[in-house]
Amino acid sequence: MKFLRSIPIILIIGGLFYALWSGILEPEKWKVPHSAELIKAKVSEAQLAKEGEKTFKMFCTACHSVRYKEIYPTFVNAPNAKPLFKLLMKKNNGFLNRYIYESAFALQLKGLKAAFGSVPPDLSTAYVYMGEGKLFNFIKDPQKVLPGTKMPNMHLSDRQVVAISTFLKTAILPTEKETQKRHLIGTFVIIFLIVLAVLFALYRKAVLTEEGIED
Amino acid sequence: MSQSVKEWFESRTGLGKIFQKEMVEYRVPKGLTLPYSLGVLAVLFFAIQIISGIFVLMYYKPDMKLAFDSVNYTIMQVVPWGWFLRSLHAVGAGFFMAIIYTHMFTGIYYNAYKSPRQLVWIIGWIIYMVMILLVLTGYLLPQGQLSYWASEVVSEMPTAIPLDIMEKVSLWIKGGFSIGDITITRLFALHVVFLPLLLIALVFLHIQFFHQTGVTSPDGRELHGNEKETVPFIYVTLKEGVIIAVVLAAFAYFIFFYSAPFTPSANFEPANPMRTPADIAPEWYLTAFYEIFRSIPNKFLGFMATNVFLIFLLILPILDTSKKKSATKRPLFYFMYLLFLISFAVLAIEGTQPATAQAAAIGKIFFIINMIFFISLPIISHFEKKKEALQ
């Protein structure tokens, strides 16, 4: 009886947290097509990421940077910028933060802005904030996702787009190997805590019987 | 030998006496239910936030241009175990808020706000306010899109009050006409120094006050000073140890396997003043307020409505005057309490949805249901008193 009374409360509070935290309230709008899923199933992530980096450097670095992967637009290699770029990279251990990057190459970025209306964004974190589905569809056909955008359609194959998307994933999310490592550590921690809980419960029982009290 | 060492310390520190008083002489009712562990859990997660906070603080840079990279690159990718520290802090904040809400709602269930615990309740309410400021200021620090636009909305909040001076207040909070380095440094100072210090003091008072009055018992009887039906607190810590280990296991699951819900993906887009996100909703712990606020067309009235909810929470001890305690002994109260919970849950869920006419209608209806709970309390009390007088 006492327990019955708390069931609705557990259901409401539990249901609230479940609804808020699971993704059920925001269904994904853009999906990765089946053909692309097949490629992902066949080719290893590491391989795709390697391919993606190459493809990205071929098609996208005219406009975009991926600073978290030390990839910068081609303008940094122009004769008037190269010496400065090399020096900055050396002084900053290969990573240019936004202050340095946007000040040192302000002119070039301004040029891109003049050409496209907005500076083509750095894509280090795009995989997460766009989501895999939206990212895939955007690279495949920018106009479909964002009508009127200045981003050109590069007419890439599914394989090339999947590779780029996988490469961008590794720029912000841990690699498969790293994820496995974290899961392994996590499993150990959880098992440890459960064992600890059981030991604690046994200890509690022993203490309470010994002292002859109940709490 | 060890005895004399003990005495040496005790005569110089008096710590043993404090232990004796707080752990042994302080007694709690037998058969405490699970919700009674929420307080200890809240303290535990506060400690986790402070410790993990100190570590992420070592790498974070409060600066418009550097904050984003310092979080998403330096901490997440360069610092060894940095991802773990950030997950601890982000998931910890979610757990902390969830625990505080559940603690508050179960406190209402057991009528923990009634005499003689009014001050415990009021301090708890202030803690809740400080917590909201803490999570809000923390949320703004990574300077993603959500951070930026949330700071914009929050700093515009005062202008909901139609007074000329409020424009100035809003400017003063921002430190300029737009969110900038000054804003973020201010929020940073609040988040890492002022608010945590305030919270430590408040938590100390909260604990001191309920150790003075004793906790409620699940069935509503006052057992403070009743030696037979209470046990020294130290025995209860054993039960709490088990619960803490289980909760930490759930916590570890989210940290190592599934931390994404605690770091919203939209906040991985660097703050961009030029691009307003399509629909911004606050995090889950504020969506109920957000839903109330936006379902009322007038900004000022919407602002006041959310405040009415908070004020009603604060004055629960005045609204509910019945001598009877605990929903387990008060069927009418129990029924209204369920309505309160349901309406709050609906508001919180609806607040995450796009702003439509339907969402506004639902918001208004469930806000009214929510208010009915508070308004019914004096009436329920009246009936219960009458019934008591008859018996």
Side-chain angles (χ1 to χ4, degrees):
Chain A
M1 182 59 215
K2 227 160 107 186
F3 182 63
L4 277 183
R5 214 183 283 113
S6 49
I7 286 177
I9 296 169
I10 294 167
L11 285 181
I12 298 168
I13 296 186
L16 171 64
F17 285 145
Y18 181 73
L20 290 172
W21 276 343
S22 65
I24 55 171
L25 293 170
E26 303 164 47
E28 200 75 58
K29 189 173 160 204
W30 298 100
K31 288 214 167 56
V32 181
H34 187 64
S35 53
E37 293 288 1
L38 282 182
I39 298 170
K40 270 180 16 190
K42 252 191 294 183
V43 190
S44 78
E45 194 190 75
Q47 171 66 24
L48 277 178
K50 221 167 95 193
E51 254 179 67
E53 181 162 356
K54 268 203 203 113
T55 321
F56 190 91
K57 280 181 176 159
M58 213 180 314
F59 290 101
C60 317
T61 44
C63 305
H64 292 286
S65 57
V66 184
R67 286 185 298 117
Y68 293 4
K69 281 285 187 187
E70 296 182 25
I71 290 180
Y72 294 88
T74 38
F75 61 62
V76 296
N77 286 321
N80 62 346
K82 199 164 182 177
L84 175 63
F85 176 67
K86 272 186 134 170
L87 187 64
L88 287 177
M89 286 295 266
K90 204 171 134 202
K91 295 245 168 197
N92 293 287
N93 294 323
F95 179 71
L96 305 189
N97 69 35
R98 271 180 67 192
Y99 261 134
I100 299 171
Y101 174 61
E102 289 178 6
S103 326
F105 302 108
L107 270 178
Q108 287 88 338
L109 291 171
K110 201 177 158 200
L112 280 180
K113 186 171 177 179
F116 299 107
S118 63
V119 180
D122 180 82
L123 297 179
S124 300
T125 55
Y127 182 87
V128 177
Y129 71 79
M130 290 181 84
E132 192 186 1
K134 193 171 167 194
L135 181 65
F136 182 95
N137 284 288
F138 186 80
I139 301 174
K140 191 89 187 158
D141 183 1
Q143 295 300 333
K144 198 173 85 188
V145 177
L146 206 69
T149 178
K150 287 274 176 62
M151 156 93 184
N153 187 340
M154 314 293 282
H155 301 289
L156 301 177
S157 70
D158 275 4
R159 171 95 180 211
Q160 285 171 313
V161 178
V162 169
I164 290 179
S165 138
T166 310
F167 164 64
L168 289 179
K169 180 179 173 195
T170 59
I172 178 66
L173 293 182
T175 57
E176 240 165 32
K177 219 171 126 204
E178 172 70 17
T179 309
Q180 274 169 6
K181 196 180 102 194
R182 291 180 193 179
H183 287 185
L184 191 66
I185 301 169
T187 312
F188 277 120
V189 172
I190 291 171
I191 292 173
F192 169 77
L193 285 165
I194 300 282
V195 170
L196 197 69
V198 172
L199 289 180
F200 228 104
L202 293 176
Y203 175 65
R204 165 170 177 262
K205 212 166 164 205
V207 169
L208 293 186
T209 11
E210 197 184 307
E211 312 247 326
I213 54 168
E214 44 179 317
D215 72 351
Chain B
M1 176 61 202
S2 78
Q3 196 55 33
S4 65
V5 172
K6 224 169 145 187
E7 268 166 28
W8 191 90
F9 269 105
E10 183 54 24
S11 61
R12 280 157 186 79
T13 61
L15 290 178
K17 223 186 280 164
I18 295 180
F19 181 84
Q20 183 70 17
K21 180 163 174 284
E22 303 300 334
M23 301 299 271
V24 183
E25 283 165 29
Y26 169 64
R27 302 171 74 92
V28 296
K30 283 178 181 170
L32 286 187
T33 48
L34 277 182
Y36 282 85
S37 322
L38 288 164
V40 173
L41 284 173
V43 172
L44 171 74
F45 275 90
F46 187 24
I48 290 177
Q49 286 313 90
I50 290 184
I51 294 166
S52 60
I54 288 172
F55 280 103
V56 284
L57 176 57
M58 290 176 184
Y59 306 101
Y60 174 77
K61 293 193 167 66
D63 178 297
M64 284 297 273
K65 279 223 161 79
L66 300 181
F68 188 83
D69 286 347
S70 76
V71 174
N72 292 308
Y73 183 70
T74 312
I75 295 179
M76 291 300 276
Q77 306 195 26
V78 181
V79 177
W81 286 85
W83 61 273
F84 175 70
L85 298 170
R86 189 191 180 195
S87 296
L88 264 186
H89 206 63
V91 181
F95 265 67
F96 197 4
M97 272 323 260
I99 287 166
I100 287 292
Y101 266 102
T102 320
H103 187 46
M104 194 161 76
F105 286 171
T106 49
I108 299 177
Y109 181 83
Y110 290 120
N111 296 167
Y113 46 80
K114 285 190 182 177
S115 172
R117 299 181 189 83
Q118 296 100 326
L119 289 182
V120 181
W121 180 257
I122 288 169
I123 296 284
W125 185 86
I126 300 173
I127 288 177
Y128 173 52
M129 296 289 111
V130 172
M131 286 277 302
I132 287 182
L133 288 179
L134 255 173
V135 287
L136 258 183
T137 49
Y139 188 63
L140 309 179
L141 294 182
Q143 278 302 300
Q145 269 291 67
L146 292 178
S147 304
Y148 181 87
W149 292 96
S151 345
E152 194 66 51
V153 171
V154 170
S155 53
E156 290 289 327
M157 220 48 184
T159 61
I161 301 169
L163 289 174
D164 281 348
I165 186 140
M166 285 305 162
E167 298 277 344
K168 289 220 177 75
V169 171
S170 168
L171 265 184
W172 177 73
I173 293 175
K174 275 196 253 190
F177 285 98
S178 57
I179 306 288
D181 276 342
I182 297 179
T183 331
I184 185 170
T185 321
R186 278 183 187 178
L187 297 171
F188 178 65
L190 291 179
H191 185 77
V192 304
V193 182
F194 176 67
L195 293 171
L197 281 181
L198 187 61
L199 195 56
I200 289 174
L202 287 166
V203 169
F204 180 79
L205 285 183
H206 195 66
I207 294 173
Q208 166 61 28
F209 288 2
F210 83 76
H211 275 215
Q212 180 68 25
T213 61
V215 292
T216 58
S217 65
D219 57 10
R221 289 173 307 149
E222 277 304 327
L223 298 176
H224 193 48
N226 181 334
E227 290 276 313
K228 233 166 109 195
E229 296 194 54
T230 55
V231 283
F233 180 65
I234 186 137
Y235 292 114
V236 181
T237 55
L238 295 174
K239 180 157 50 177
E240 278 164 352
V242 180
I243 295 166
I244 284 174
V246 172
V247 172
L248 282 183
F251 184 50
Y253 169 74
F254 282 109
I255 287 177
F256 289 100
F257 291 86
Y258 188 47
S259 64
F262 298 86
T263 45
S265 57
N267 216 24
F268 280 80
E269 180 172 4
N272 185 350
M274 297 310 188
R275 195 196 277 183
T276 322
D279 39 21
I280 28 170
E283 283 294 273
W284 63 269
Y285 36 76
L286 292 177
T287 45
F289 299 108
Y290 178 62
E291 174 65 13
I292 297 174
F293 176 70
R294 73 174 186 192
S295 68
I296 295 170
N298 182 311
K299 208 171 156 195
F300 177 60
L301 289 181
F303 180 68
M304 292 318 281
T306 46
N307 283 334
V308 166
F309 175 82
L310 291 173
I311 299 292
F312 270 157
L313 267 187
L314 174 65
I315 61 168
L316 271 177
I318 302 176
L319 294 174
D320 189 359
T321 52
S322 161
K323 287 257 156 15
K324 270 183 146 179
K325 277 180 202 152
S326 176
T328 59
K329 290 278 138 63
R330 307 171 69 194
L332 260 180
F333 176 86
Y334 175 70
F335 177 74
M336 293 311 294
Y337 177 75
L338 284 187
L339 276 189
F340 167 76
L341 276 192
I342 291 171
S343 59
F344 190 87
V346 171
L347 287 173
I349 291 174
E350 201 54 38
T352 63
Q353 300 297 299
T356 56
Q358 188 199 348
I362 293 178
K364 266 180 239 157
I365 293 170
F366 283 89
F367 173 60
I368 291 170
I369 296 177
N370 202 281
M371 288 299 105
I372 289 175
F373 164 72
F374 291 106
I375 295 167
S376 74
L377 288 179
I379 305 169
I380 295 175
S381 299
H382 178 75
F383 281 122
E384 282 178 355
K385 274 185 201 156
K386 235 179 176 174
K387 207 169 151 201
E388 208 149 280
L390 282 177
Q391 275 162 4

